[in-house]
Amino acid sequence: MNPCTVQRNTEMEYYWKRGAYRPPYLWSVLSVLSDAPLHVTCDPLGGGQKRGPHNCGACDYEIVRGIRDYSLNADRDLICALLDTRCGCRQEWEYILASEKSYCMPLTR
Ligand SMILES: [Zn+2]
């Protein structure tokens, strides 16, 4: 799985610069990996950066490193432990999932 990163001079960058697109939360990446029926590898390009899949900045490094480790060792317990990481942005992500409309502007950047 390759979570989206905003590349330069693309239509996605056009929308991202206007606040109309936000790369996925790392929580979403963890959720997809956790729910997958098979081992799915993932190396989030630009993970933790504003153009790449990211959370709040405080928890990004640990989660990106864990996702890369999981891709190599297929340890599902690691993904479960990462999903239990305590960070304030987890509640923000849950709010976004419940409140954001897919046809509207993203609620966070
Ligand atoms: Zn966080």
Side-chain angles (χ1 to χ4, degrees):
M1 180 175 71
N2 188 10
C4 196
T5 298
V6 179
Q7 301 293 333
R8 294 192 189 286
N9 302 316
T10 60
E11 189 168 349
M12 183 174 289
E13 183 184 51
Y14 173 88
Y15 291 110
W16 174 72
K17 283 185 172 178
R18 287 154 181 82
Y21 175 76
R22 184 206 192 277
Y25 279 86
L26 291 167
W27 298 119
S28 296
V29 176
L30 288 173
S31 178
V32 169
L33 294 176
S34 173
D35 292 345
L38 301 170
H39 176 235
V40 175
T41 60
C42 178
D43 184 8
L45 181 67
Q49 308 294 315
K50 64 182 180 177
R51 286 177 174 261
H54 64 276
N55 284 348
C56 66
C59 62
D60 294 47
Y61 177 79
E62 178 185 349
I63 293 176
V64 168
R65 188 182 63 189
I67 290 170
R68 289 183 173 137
D69 287 348
Y70 170 73
S71 291
L72 297 174
N73 64 25
D75 180 2
R76 283 197 174 261
D77 290 342
L78 174 59
I79 289 296
C80 292
L82 289 168
L83 274 168
D84 286 338
T85 300
R86 292 186 177 272
C87 191
C89 71
R90 172 70 188 244
Q91 286 182 318
E92 176 185 282
W93 173 68
E94 290 170 351
Y95 175 81
I96 295 299
L97 288 181
S99 306
E100 194 172 84
K101 305 292 186 225
S102 60
Y103 52 83
C104 291
M105 302 291 262
L107 296 175
T108 58
R109 302 210 64 186

